[in-house]
Amino acid sequence: MKTLFLLRHAKSDWSDGTLSDHARPLNARGRTAAPLIAAYLKKKSYAPEFVLCSTATRTVQTLDLIKPVLPASVVVRYEDPLYLAEPDKLLDRIRWIESPFNSAMLIGHNPGMELLAATLSAPGKTAAEKGRRDVMREKYPTAAMAVLRFQTAEWRDVARGQGALADFVRPKDLDGVDSD
C-alpha cells in the first residue's frame, strides 16, 4: 500500500507587489496554519518518508514549519517543475517516486493540488468517505491536506479514481484559523 499526502501551501503574502509570484512568502495566517497541520500530522502519527516540494518560497516555508514533526530520516526534494504544475504533471512525478518509499507528501499549489486530489480519489464506499470527498471537492483551501491510500506496491501504478480518501483536513477544522 502507498500513502500520499497532498498538502497545499499555507496562505501567502500579497502585500509586496515587487515580488514575483514564485517569491511570495507566507503571511501571518499562513505561519499560524502550517504549525496546526504539523500538530495534526503528529497527532495522527502521519509520517511521510519522502517529500516533494515546489521551489516557491511559500511552499518551502510551509515545509519548514511542518518539518519538525516529520521523521528524521525523511528525504526531501525541491523541484522547480512542481511550481504551479497541472494535475497530470503532478501525477507523472508521483509515479516516478522510488519504490522503497511507502508514504510520500507533495507540497504544491492550486489549482493543481485540488484537481489532483479530486482526480485520484475514489468515490468512497462509506458515508464518512463520501463526506470527506464532498468537503474536499467543495474547497481545497491553503494549508489543506488530503491523505490518499492506494492498494498498490509501486508508485508507478497509482491511478485516477483509485485512491481511498483516508483524511482531509483544513486549518479551520483544527483551530478555527480561516484559510482561503
Side-chain angles (χ1 to χ4, degrees):
M1 179 175 3
K2 300 296 185 190
T3 302
L4 179 63
F5 301 87
L6 297 176
L7 177 60
R8 184 177 173 201
H9 65 79
K11 185 77 174 157
S12 61
D13 189 346
W14 290 81
S15 65
D16 186 346
T18 65
L19 292 176
S20 70
D21 181 70
H22 192 274
R24 284 189 295 112
L26 296 180
N27 69 11
R29 202 163 73 189
R31 289 188 304 274
T32 299
L36 291 173
I37 295 298
Y40 187 77
L41 285 162
K42 184 175 181 177
K43 176 183 173 187
K44 299 290 275 186
S45 298
Y46 289 151
E49 301 163 304
F50 181 71
V51 175
L52 285 169
C53 185
S54 161
T55 57
T57 300
R58 59 194 178 272
T59 53
V60 172
Q61 289 177 338
T62 299
L63 175 56
D64 288 345
L65 290 168
I66 67 162
K67 210 176 213 178
V69 303
L70 298 179
S73 60
V74 69
V75 175
V76 176
R77 291 211 183 114
Y78 300 93
E79 297 184 3
D80 286 325
L82 299 176
Y83 172 65
L84 300 178
E86 296 291 323
D88 286 343
K89 290 196 182 276
L90 295 172
L91 179 54
D92 287 345
R93 179 57 185 97
I94 289 164
R95 288 178 173 156
W96 280 97
I97 295 173
E98 293 84 6
S99 291
F101 299 114
N102 289 314
S103 60
M105 176 179 278
L106 175 60
I107 304 175
H109 312 265
N110 261 5
M113 295 297 285
E114 178 175 1
L115 294 171
L116 179 63
T119 298
L120 292 177
S121 63
K125 296 176 184 168
T126 67
E129 289 171 340
K130 291 175 184 175
R132 279 192 293 272
R133 193 164 192 256
D134 289 346
V135 170
M136 181 185 74
R137 287 179 150 219
E138 181 182 309
K139 189 171 186 181
Y140 205 110
T142 53
M145 181 180 67
V147 181
L148 295 150
R149 294 207 170 97
F150 297 88
Q151 295 297 323
T152 183
E154 303 292 334
W155 287 103
R156 69 175 173 256
D157 297 325
V158 166
R160 291 173 179 84
Q162 299 300 309
L165 184 60
D167 202 353
F168 180 69
V169 64
R170 306 162 297 183
K172 76 177 188 176
D173 300 329
L174 303 174
D175 193 85
V177 172
D178 188 25
S179 48
D180 69 352

